Amino acid sequence: EAQVTQNPRYLITVTGKKLTVTCSQNMNHEYMSWYRQDPGLGLRQIYYSMNVEVTDKGDVPEGYKVSRKEKRNFPLILESPSPNQTSLYFCASSFEVNTEAFFGQGTRLTVV
Amino acid sequence: AQSVTQPDIHITVSEGASLELRCNYSYGATPYLFWYVQSPGQGLQLLLKYFSGDTLVQGIKGFEAEFKRSQSSFNLRKPSVHWSDAAEYFCAVALLNFNKFYFGSGTKLNVKP
């Protein structure tokens, strides 16, 4: 089954404790991206990747890192999480930026 | 500033009534346009997309959208709403030249029995 898998689904952590949210897709997609969803703001793009070893900033990259060492995986790293990063995060993949994106189920992160 | 605007935060319609959700964009060229739906606790699912050609596009679940270049709009419509359509709807654009994707702030649809 074609899917985008994010883990964990829920995470509560403390300020400053490094964390990684994993994202994996099985559709051989080139383009992958991370979004955060906040009430009234819709989804905002954090980082995206055009292909392996090619990543770039989206609209809200501050406080986040990503890597794309393999085509299927695109982890999101918060080196020092802060409470303003409490949000719902989605990973998505597509063949290209202008083709249908498939979304993961989301990761609800709370930073206290 | 470049943006995607969904002016309606919440909309309530009666089951069986028609629906129109508004979306406007402000970009120099015609972007690639999308509508996604998010059911509670779920990820997003593509309803339909417009790249070029016929300005009226059909999607899944009986939805359609019309691109109007003169109004920079891409409104989503459905002739008869079902209770299962209650969800949040997002308009989105892809800017091929910048490899970026932008979402509107969403419209939450409630359906009255």
Side-chain angles (χ1 to χ4, degrees), chain B residues 33-95:
Chain B
L33 297 159
F34 304 79
W35 275 99
Y36 281 85
V37 60
Q38 183 181 33
S39 299
Q42 301 295 313
L44 280 75
Q45 181 184 22
L46 179 69
L47 284 176
L48 46 79
K49 59 184 184 245
Y50 172 78
F51 293 163
S52 64
D54 192 345
T55 57
L56 184 65
V57 294
Q58 303 296 320
I60 63 171
K61 305 185 181 187
F63 285 92
E64 66 178 27
E66 185 173 14
F67 170 63
K68 293 185 177 181
R69 185 187 305 275
S70 62
Q71 298 176 18
S72 296
S73 69
F74 188 55
N75 293 349
L76 182 71
R77 301 195 294 246
K78 187 169 185 177
S80 177
V81 169
H82 188 262
W83 64 266
S84 60
D85 293 325
E88 190 158 18
Y89 292 80
F90 292 94
C91 181
V93 306
L95 300 183

Side-chain angles (χ1 to χ4, degrees), chain A residues 31 37 50 59 90 98 101, chain B residues 36 38 42 51 90 99 102:
Chain A
Y31 188 88
Q37 182 178 16
M50 299 293 293
D59 274 354
F90 286 100
N98 59 339
Chain B
Y36 281 85
Q38 183 181 33
Q42 301 295 313
F51 293 163
F90 292 94
N99 297 314
Y102 295 95

